[in-house]
Amino acid sequence: MSNNSPLFIPGHDSTLLEDVKARIRDVPDFPKPGILFKDVTPVLADPHLFGRVVNAMAAPFRGRHITKVVGMEARGFLVGAPVALALHAGFAPARKPGKLPYKTVTERYALEYGDDGLQLHEDAVGRGDRVLIVDDLLATGGTAEATAKLVTKLGGEVVGFSFLISLDFLPGRERLGPEKVCALISY
């Protein structure tokens, strides 16, 4: 997988990138001043476009024997669960501390505008699971890196990362290993 490889087959869905870019809404100064938030909810609101996005995010990982998809809180749940279905894999949510009802493992991390932690149920990923980590947006890579550490703690193998958007002016791709990262849209 190259850094900027398209996640669609040319000629098959040739308007996907333009259609998605046209629907992503920029929200200045959210969640704090100086941040330009990329709002994907208009993409999710269009069932046909959302389906095309899910298929494109899953495409590079078909045939890679993915057994689990882990989606990061919270928008990672929205894209991760349908990607899991598209790959015939199970889904596990990586949640903020205290949000999961069963026994958990925890990883602390720094993010773009603060610090936080993530948890997985201790049985969410098992030894030998081949895991795809999914989220809507890659920025610095801290959240995705913490999720990968959780997967590894539980005995899983991180096969790759799939994002709807990558902010390539931030170090997320390099932090995660550019060969493992796929993103539909890069800014």
Side-chain angles (χ1 to χ4, degrees), residues 102-185:
Y102 187 62
K103 297 174 191 169
T104 60
V105 292
T106 303
E107 186 68 35
R108 303 293 307 171
Y109 65 97
L111 71 166
E112 306 80 88
Y113 37 82
D115 67 294
D116 213 334
L118 283 178
Q119 295 182 322
L120 280 172
H121 279 141
E122 68 179 14
D123 60 355
V125 173
R127 296 211 181 286
D129 271 332
R130 293 178 51 82
V131 179
L132 174 64
I133 297 172
V134 175
D135 204 358
D136 70 320
L137 184 125
L138 172 62
T140 65
T143 309
E145 182 180 56
T147 303
K149 288 178 180 177
L150 285 171
V151 167
T152 302
K153 278 183 188 178
L154 292 172
E157 174 192 355
V158 177
V159 175
F161 301 86
S162 186
F163 299 95
L164 174 54
I165 299 168
S166 176
L167 302 178
D168 287 347
F169 56 88
L170 294 172
R173 273 188 199 271
E174 290 73 31
R175 186 176 195 169
L176 301 176
E179 70 284 351
K180 284 192 165 192
V181 174
C182 287
L184 187 59
I185 305 287

Side-chain angles (χ1 to χ4, degrees), residues 66-71 80-81 83-85 87-92 124 130 132:
I66 302 298
T67 57
K68 290 283 172 67
V69 172
V70 174
V83 167
L85 287 173
L87 293 171
H88 306 287
F91 177 78
R130 293 178 51 82
L132 174 64

Side-chain angles (χ1 to χ4, degrees), residues 3-26:
N3 285 356
N4 296 310
S5 64
L7 302 188
F8 65 96
I9 300 166
H12 182 257
D13 197 352
S14 60
T15 65
L16 179 59
L17 297 179
E18 296 81 25
D19 293 348
V20 171
K21 284 182 177 181
R23 297 300 295 272
I24 293 173
R25 179 174 33 217
D26 287 342

Side-chain angles (χ1 to χ4, degrees), residues 29-42:
D29 299 320
F30 183 84
K32 65 186 226 180
I35 305 273
L36 180 62
F37 186 82
K38 298 291 186 182
D39 181 10
V40 300
T41 58

